[in-house]
Amino acid sequence: MTPLLVLAEFVFTEEGEREFLPHLERTLDEARAIAGCLQVVLWNRPGRRYQFSTLWTDADAVTRWVENEFHQSILMPGFRKWCTEGCFGEYRLDTDHKRARKCPRCGRWTQSLPGWNEALPATCKECGATLDAPA
């Protein structure tokens, strides 16, 4: 499988960001519930700039997200109203590198594949402590 990375970048107005934030958790939940969604991560930075990094099994999975009722009825018209800039990019991931997570108990690093799975590694290879995945 060669996963498809889709980056969606937005710059919100101040008012638009306030209107979007109540929909944030549902946006993440709805995308993650789509068959073929491997990962959804949201990054933000100053200036009300947001980047959704989404990883999909294939283009059909992306189409299922675009056709999702919540995406169609809330997000698409909302982003047109809430934002001053938007950008989408699609990239094929030909290689994947291990994800590493540092153990809070023993301080050692544990690696796992695939790198895009934010739930892994789940336990420290050295001491067996649980490694918390990001919320």
Side-chain angles (χ1 to χ4, degrees):
M1 172 183 68
T2 303
L4 177 62
L5 172 67
V6 178
L7 300 179
E9 301 177 35
F10 301 99
V11 179
F12 288 87
T13 64
E14 191 173 336
E15 180 181 335
E17 182 180 45
R18 276 194 306 273
E19 290 182 30
F20 165 68
L21 288 175
H23 300 288
L24 176 59
E25 288 305 315
R26 183 170 178 197
T27 299
L28 299 174
D29 291 343
E30 291 276 341
R32 289 175 177 145
I34 299 294
C37 179
L38 300 172
Q39 176 176 304
V40 177
V41 176
L42 174 62
W43 302 95
N44 65 14
R45 56 182 216 205
R48 294 179 302 281
R49 295 177 172 275
Y50 288 76
Q51 180 188 69
F52 290 89
S53 298
T54 58
L55 198 59
W56 307 90
T57 54
D58 53 32
D60 291 340
V62 176
T63 298
R64 285 190 290 277
W65 169 237
V66 171
E67 294 175 350
N68 172 279
E69 187 275 328
F70 174 73
H71 188 266
Q72 289 275 322
S73 65
I74 302 296
L75 295 181
M76 289 173 71
F79 285 132
R80 288 184 189 104
K81 175 183 164 194
W82 303 328
C83 299
T84 60
E85 186 178 322
C87 175
F88 298 88
E90 295 186 9
Y91 310 90
R92 292 270 169 214
L93 299 180
D94 295 324
T95 58
D96 189 22
H97 299 275
K98 294 178 180 177
R99 176 179 294 265
R101 187 167 279 133
K102 188 175 183 178
C103 179
R105 185 162 71 189
C106 74
R108 300 293 302 264
W109 287 86
T110 298
Q111 295 180 340
S112 70
L113 276 172
W116 45 261
N117 188 335
E118 56 189 336
L120 297 175
T123 58
C124 177
K125 69 178 180 184
E126 296 296 324
C127 72
T130 299
L131 302 175
D132 293 330

